[in-house]
Amino acid sequence: MVTFVSVLKYEQLKVNKALEQELAAMPAPLRDIVGHVLMAGGKRLRPLLTLLSARLFGAEGPQLYELAVIPEMIHVATLLHDDVLDGAESRRGRKSAHLIYGTAPAILAGDALLAAASHKTASFNIPSLLTCVSEAVLMTAAGEAHEIALQGSLSHSLKEYVDIVAGKTGWLLKGSCRLGALYAGASEEQVEAISEYGLNLGIAFQIVDDALDFADEAVTGKPTAGDIMEGKYTPPIMKYVDFLSSGEREVFREKFRNGTFTDEDRVRIAADIRRLCFDAEARAMADQYIDKAQACLDALPRRFEQKVFREALDFVRNRKS
Ligand code: FPP
Ligand code: MG
C-alpha cells in the first residue's frame, strides 16, 4: 500500500536534486550559508503540496519540480530570518546559520533566496503565479509582524493566535497548494478549494508545531520550550498560565514579558507542561482545522493525489518532529 510517508520520501529525493541545482545557481558568496539551511534535510512538505496539487488538476512532467522548489526556497528564507528574529540557536538539528555566518549574512541569504524564488516564479511567464507567490510572502511577513507586536503578551485571545499562525504559516502552505493548481489551469472553484485546504492544513501544522515546542530537542532539532524564552503565547502556554495560581502567574508574566526565564525555568516549565499534558491537549486543537481542510477535498477530483492530500492531514496531526 502506498502511504503518505512513502510518497513524501520518494519526492524528497527529486525535490532535493532540484534544490541542489538552485543552490548551485546561487552567487558564490551566498552558497555556503544558503546551503547550510536549504540542504539540512527538511521534510519538503511545501514542494510536495505543489506537486500533488498540480497533478491533481492534470499537470505532469519534470517541470513540476521547478515549480515545487519555489515554496521551499521561500520557506527557507523565512527560517533564516526567523532564527535571527528569535535569536534561535539551532534549526533542523544544526547550529543556526546566523550563529555560524553572522546576522547580516543570514539576513542577506534570506533576501537572496526570496529574490531567487521570485525569479524562478517569473520564469514560468504566468502572471497568476507571481500574484500567488507575492501574496503568500506578504501575508507571511504580516503574520510574523503581528506575532512580534504581541511578543511577551499574555493577554491576547486564542483567535488572535490563530490569526498569527494563519499568516506566518498558513499562507505559505496555502500558496504551495494554489501554485500547483494555477499552473495546472484548474477552475476558479478548484483553486479556491485547494487554497482553503492549504490554509487550514497550515494552521493545524503550526498548532502541532507549537505543541512540539515542548518535546526534546533531540527529536525536533529545535530548542525545547523556545516559545517561552521568545515570549510567544501559544496554546500549551495559555493552558499552563490558566493553571497557575495568581501569584505564580504574576511571576511568570513578568519573566515572559521581559524574556528573563533562566534555563532552569525553561526545563522545569517544559516538564510541567508535558506532565500535565497541556502539549497533548493543545495538539488536539488542530483537529478542527484538519476537519475543515478535509471538507475542502470533497469536491475535488477523486484521483490518487486527493487520497495523498487526505493522508497529509493525518501526517500533520500525528507528526512527532
Ligand atoms: C517559524 O515560526 C516562522 C515562520 C513560520 C515565519 C517566519 C517569517 C518571517 C521571519 C517573515 C519574514 C520573512 C520572509 C522571507 C518573508 P516559529 O518561530 O514559531 O517556529 P520555529 O520554532 O520553527 O522557529
Ligand atoms: Mg522561530
Side-chain angles (χ1 to χ4, degrees):
M1 190 187 73
V2 176
T3 65
F4 175 77
V5 175
S6 49
V7 175
L8 183 67
K9 289 252 173 312
Y10 174 78
E11 295 298 358
Q12 259 169 19
L13 295 174
K14 298 190 166 204
V15 167
N16 285 344
K17 276 218 169 83
L19 286 170
E20 271 165 22
Q21 282 173 14
E22 294 309 316
L23 183 61
M26 289 298 272
L30 294 158
R31 229 171 275 147
D32 283 354
I33 180 163
V34 168
H36 180 78
V37 190
L38 191 65
M39 304 318 296
K43 289 181 278 296
R44 314 306 190 200
L45 179 61
R46 291 157 190 81
L48 180 64
L49 293 175
T50 305
L51 289 170
L52 289 172
S53 178
R55 290 183 189 139
L56 179 66
F57 300 114
E60 54 187 25
Q63 220 203 356
L64 292 185
Y65 293 94
E66 301 284 312
L67 188 72
V69 293
I70 294 168
E72 189 69 11
M73 291 161 80
I74 297 169
H75 175 51
V76 170
T78 71
L79 297 182
L80 278 155
H81 287 184
D82 183 65
D83 286 344
V84 171
L85 291 169
D86 290 345
E89 291 181 4
S90 53
R91 167 73 65 191
R92 293 179 168 176
R94 293 183 175 180
K95 196 167 172 175
S96 299
H98 68 103
L99 294 182
I100 299 176
Y101 300 92
T103 301
I107 293 170
L108 290 167
D111 292 345
L113 260 175
L114 216 48
S118 303
H119 190 268
K120 188 104 207 145
T121 311
S123 73
F124 284 89
N125 235 339
I126 306 175
S128 63
L129 301 189
L130 266 176
T131 307
C132 165
V133 164
S134 5
E135 217 170 33
V137 171
L138 182 66
M139 297 308 284
T140 304
E144 185 73 6
H146 190 180
E147 180 170 80
I148 289 170
L150 294 176
Q151 196 168 16
S153 144
L154 287 182
S155 49
H156 55 276
S157 63
L158 185 62
K159 179 185 175 306
E160 213 154 358
Y161 162 81
V162 173
D163 284 349
I164 291 170
V165 303
K168 76 172 194 175
T169 306
W171 267 87
L172 188 51
L173 270 76
K174 170 178 172 169
S176 308
C177 293
R178 194 175 179 88
L179 198 61
L182 290 169
Y183 175 81
S187 72
E188 210 176 307
E189 266 175 28
Q190 290 173 325
V191 170
E192 292 313 322
I194 203 66
S195 300
E196 200 55 22
Y197 165 90
L199 179 67
N200 284 292
L201 179 74
I203 296 172
F205 184 91
Q206 190 61 46
I207 291 174
V208 171
D209 207 64
D210 291 339
L212 279 171
D213 191 59
F214 295 93
D216 267 350
E217 178 162 359
V219 178
T220 62
K222 298 187 286 194
T224 304
D227 289 344
I228 287 177
M229 311 301 262
E230 293 162 15
K232 290 179 184 161
Y233 192 37
T234 63
I237 303 174
M238 290 177 184
K239 288 176 186 291
Y240 181 71
V241 169
D242 279 350
F243 157 86
L244 294 175
S245 67
S246 59
E248 291 165 335
R249 194 175 303 143
E250 275 326 296
V251 174
F252 186 94
R253 187 189 302 281
E254 197 59 23
K255 293 188 175 184
F256 194 71
R257 183 166 47 220
N258 301 321
T260 48
F261 286 111
T262 63
D263 236 25
E264 265 170 33
D265 289 333
R266 182 174 70 90
V267 171
R268 179 181 44 81
I269 295 169
D272 282 349
I273 284 180
R274 288 200 301 247
R275 185 173 44 80
L276 294 161
C277 299
F278 292 153
D279 55 342
E281 283 177 21
R283 180 189 268 266
M285 289 166 59
D287 285 353
Q288 56 184 298
Y289 299 97
I290 287 175
D291 291 348
K292 276 191 201 171
Q294 181 108 34
C296 297
L297 295 175
D298 292 343
L300 298 180
R302 303 213 178 287
R303 299 175 68 144
F304 171 75
E305 291 79 16
Q306 192 220 37
K307 189 169 158 287
V308 182
F309 271 129
R310 279 191 202 286
E311 291 179 1
L313 295 169
D314 287 330
F315 173 78
V316 164
R317 180 192 277 124
N318 301 324
R319 79 193 174 95
K320 299 279 184 281
S321 65

